[in-house]
Amino acid sequence: MDSSEKINNPADISVIVIYFVVVLAVGLWAMLSTNRGTVGGFFLAGRSMVWWPIGASLFASNIGSGHFVGLAGTGAAAGIATGGFEWNALIFVVVLGWLFVPIYIKAGVVTMPEYLKKRFGGRRIQMYLSVLSLLLYIFTKISADIFSGAIFIQIAMGLNLYLAIIILLGITGLYTITGGLAAVIYTDTLQTIIMLVGSIILTGFAFAEVGGYEAFMEKYMQAIPSNISYGNITIDPKCYTPRADSFHIFRDPITGDLPWPGLTIGLSILALWYWCTDQVIVQRCLSAKNMSHVKAGCITCGYLKLLPMFLMVMPGMISRILYTDTVACVVPSECEKYCGTKVGCSNVAYPKMVVDLMPNGLRGLMLSVMLASLMSSLTSIFNSASTLFTMDIYTKIRTRASERELMLAGRLFILALIGISIAWVPVVQSAQSGQLFDYIQSITSYLGPPIAAVFLLAIFCKRVNEEGAFWGLVIGLAIGLSRMIAEFAYGTGSCVNPSNCPKIICGIHYLYFAIILFGISTIIILGVSLITKPIPDVHLYRLCWSLRNSKEERIDLDANEKIEEPESNDDVSGDEEQGCCKKAYNWFCGLNQKKGPKLSKEEQEAIEKKLTDTSEKPIWRNVVNINGIILLTVAVFCHAFFA
């Protein structure tokens, strides 16, 4: 297929141009209307967000273009079970809003490692977690998103891959670096709306093309590629016939590709790590006005998470019906001809449908949707990664950095991240085994469970102490890395050429591996904690669940290393002697916003109290609680209906 002539009609191009103009306008508006000259303003949107942008932003930063490409691709290859990954989140957004965020707010923290530092004391856990989170961002989120966005642009525009990526990252970086979290949250909201509208239209076209839901179920089971042998080798039928359990979420615990115990328990562990302890997600919640807004935002996100099954997984399956030979190809040479990789072409399921099914104008809209989802997850990750770097790593290197220096460090770090991301693209491109989504999930299940165990126990078991948590994290990481390195060394293989990794290492399904790893980490954390001495309650007030309502004053474990206030010598120069360039630069980075008068100790304490307040008005509390219960019922119903 010659793809370079796909998007060159005026309708599509003008839609894309209008889209980018609107996004930049929203970004600029957010930049001008919020306070981003302080650390709290740039990184937490000044604690002023209401529920609907939070819900939309949680959804948008979770659904990247990796989801469009990955969910649709795995759907095309294996049926609806991948939708279970999305529905699992319905339960965990409730856990996040009701159990985790209240503790984080009472602890008064900006980043997740900072919470662990308050809870356990010491520096090593905080550093370990900051560095590991940054690595996970680069290897799973950033690279997968950039890669899938690039597949799209390549199929649609025939642009050079790297050129496309550099333009994209340029625009994305521009408004994250200048606008901080408020700009990110507002542009996310806009992009969620565009994403939903575009993908709903495409789903409509797809079902119309197939002839409705009944016909879809029937035709999917018959979508078998025409070319199934090469040379004198005939490929095993199980490699290209749709699975008999394609329309079931819960699959056989031993032979299934997503076994049901793994999908219920193993996936819950990954969801706990992702939804309740991940910087990107929690940071959105911490920027809310008050607790009711947090909960309402989580519920909004939960309802939105019902949609990917119908807007991404099923269209991916329809794509297999419409373009069977391309999407379901099994012969390595054929696959290479269609999409440049021997392992399989399920990744092109969604982009191919956009380019072939949509009319002019709408095609441009869908391309902007893909760019939107790509950019929104990247901006979220850039902002959160720079928060982690500035607050947890940089302040250790420069203990007395001024606020201005911290803001600059954060912005420079985003630039460095962009550089690393571009350098990482060829690696992802060569490793594009047909299963992008599986790659992300499996890396997560090798590195995530120990972190989930530490956070869960830190909040719900006050007996756990620093030694236990540290050794649990370190040994858990060692076990996870050994499996991950083995898998990378042997390759994951495909159905036609399976990899020859020893069964004892790679034979365990990655979701089962997550359960085992979580178990081992928990045992180590509890074991080591019980043989070492406990942390006195005076350090734990309002840091764990059993002491969440205590009124006593907490003596922080890190109290003795409180940094004395940096002397602010950077606002001595009056406005008179600033040149035009300097003024423009300061305005661009939000550094010129006037400093408020020095606050007295009482005022400082009143502000602290307001920031760590989790009280709710009874009427709104009841509204969000009822909604939370409804959401959980919906989650159970969906699982049961498609089980």
Side-chain angles (χ1 to χ4, degrees), residues 128 446 450 472-485 517:
Y128 165 94
Y446 307 148
L473 284 172
V474 170
I475 295 171
L477 178 71
I479 299 172
L481 277 178
S482 60
R483 161 88 189 245
M484 185 172 128
I485 291 165
L517 184 54

Side-chain angles (χ1 to χ4, degrees), residues 153 158-170 422:
I153 295 174
L159 271 182
N160 175 330
L161 201 67
Y162 292 97
L163 180 71
I165 287 173
I166 291 169
I167 297 173
L168 255 183
L169 288 176
I422 293 178

Side-chain angles (χ1 to χ4, degrees), residues 51 133 161 173 213 250 284 415 453 463 475 477 489 529 614 627:
W51 60 273
S133 309
L161 201 67
Y213 190 75
F250 292 145
R284 301 278 168 288
L415 289 176
R463 180 66 183 78
I475 295 171
L477 178 71
S529 295
T614 55
N627 266 299

Side-chain angles (χ1 to χ4, degrees), residues 69 138-140 142-155 158-165 335-336 339-345 347-348 420-436 439 488 492:
V69 170
I138 294 171
F139 291 130
T140 58
I142 299 183
S143 50
D145 274 352
I146 288 183
F147 168 65
S148 46
I151 289 188
F152 237 89
I153 295 174
Q154 244 186 332
I155 287 189
L159 271 182
N160 175 330
L161 201 67
Y162 292 97
L163 180 71
I165 287 173
C335 291
E336 195 154 22
C339 64
T341 161
K342 290 183 168 142
V343 194
C345 287
N347 278 342
V348 302
I420 297 171
S421 316
I422 293 178
W424 184 246
V425 170
V427 184
V428 187
Q429 215 180 351
S430 59
Q432 57 165 316
S433 72
Q435 304 291 323
L436 178 73
Y439 240 32
F488 272 109
T492 39

Side-chain angles (χ1 to χ4, degrees), residues 119-139:
R119 169 70 176 78
F120 294 123
R123 289 217 171 143
R124 51 190 191 170
I125 292 186
Q126 187 188 13
M127 287 302 280
Y128 165 94
L129 195 63
S130 308
V131 174
L132 184 65
S133 309
L134 288 176
L135 287 177
L136 269 172
Y137 284 156
I138 294 171
F139 291 130

Side-chain angles (χ1 to χ4, degrees), residues 407-423:
M407 308 288 294
L408 281 177
R411 290 176 161 109
L412 288 172
F413 181 69
I414 295 180
L415 289 176
L417 260 188
I418 291 178
I420 297 171
S421 316
I422 293 178

Side-chain angles (χ1 to χ4, degrees), residues 167-429:
I167 297 173
L168 255 183
L169 288 176
I171 297 182
T172 313
L174 190 73
Y175 67 65
T176 318
I177 292 175
T178 49
L181 188 65
V184 173
I185 288 185
Y186 283 118
T187 44
D188 270 355
T189 312
L190 173 76
Q191 286 168 353
T192 306
I193 297 167
I194 296 181
M195 245 164 32
L196 290 177
V197 171
S199 47
I200 288 170
I201 295 173
L202 180 62
T203 307
F205 272 106
F207 274 107
E209 188 78 18
V210 171
Y213 190 75
E214 295 297 316
F216 153 63
M217 290 175 75
E218 193 182 321
K219 289 179 182 168
Y220 178 76
M221 300 313 280
Q222 301 155 2
I224 296 172
S226 52
N227 189 348
I228 50 174
S229 56
Y230 58 104
N232 47 8
I233 304 170
T234 304
I235 294 165
D236 181 1
K238 75 173 198 304
C239 293
Y240 54 80
T241 333
R243 298 182 59 95
D245 51 11
S246 287
F247 286 91
H248 303 286
I249 290 184
F250 292 145
R251 299 181 173 180
D252 188 290
I254 294 149
T255 57
D257 56 338
L258 286 175
W260 68 262
L263 199 71
T264 43
I265 305 166
L267 193 58
S268 299
I269 293 167
L270 303 189
L272 179 79
W273 167 77
Y274 181 78
W275 287 100
C276 304
T277 70
D278 186 273
Q279 181 69 25
V280 177
I281 299 293
V282 176
Q283 194 180 3
R284 301 278 168 288
C285 293
L286 293 181
S287 65
K289 264 188 180 151
N290 59 36
M291 225 25 248
S292 301
H293 280 289
V294 173
K295 292 178 179 176
C298 289
I299 291 169
T300 314
C301 176
Y303 283 126
L304 290 173
K305 287 289 279 180
L306 282 169
L307 300 173
M309 171 72 100
F310 307 104
L311 301 186
M312 290 166 211
V313 180
M314 287 181 180
M317 295 164 74
I318 294 178
S319 182
R320 172 168 180 155
I321 300 172
L322 302 177
Y323 316 110
T324 313
D325 284 348
T326 307
V327 176
C329 70
V330 277
V331 179
S333 55
E334 289 283 302
C335 291
E336 195 154 22
K337 188 177 81 193
Y338 289 127
C339 64
T341 161
K342 290 183 168 142
V343 194
C345 287
S346 58
N347 278 342
V348 302
Y350 204 86
K352 187 154 176 49
M353 205 146 78
V354 170
V355 172
D356 290 1
L357 272 191
M358 297 293 257
N360 295 346
L362 282 179
R363 192 183 299 127
L365 179 75
M366 274 315 282
L367 189 76
S368 346
V369 168
M370 295 308 302
L371 301 185
S373 68
L374 173 70
M375 285 167 54
S376 65
S377 29
L378 283 182
T379 44
S380 316
I381 292 164
F382 285 156
N383 186 282
S384 300
S386 78
T387 311
L388 272 180
F389 173 77
T390 326
M391 300 309 218
D392 290 332
I393 299 175
Y394 193 76
T395 47
K396 301 291 171 293
I397 305 168
R398 300 256 313 160
T399 42
R400 306 186 52 163
S402 63
E403 183 135 317
R404 177 182 192 131
E405 186 183 331
L406 289 180
M407 308 288 294
L408 281 177
R411 290 176 161 109
L412 288 172
F413 181 69
I414 295 180
L415 289 176
L417 260 188
I418 291 178
I420 297 171
S421 316
I422 293 178
W424 184 246
V425 170
V427 184
V428 187
Q429 215 180 351

Side-chain angles (χ1 to χ4, degrees), residues 27 55 59 123 347 400 466 496 585 606:
F59 180 71
R123 289 217 171 143
N347 278 342
R400 306 186 52 163
E466 200 266 350
V496 185
Y585 160 80

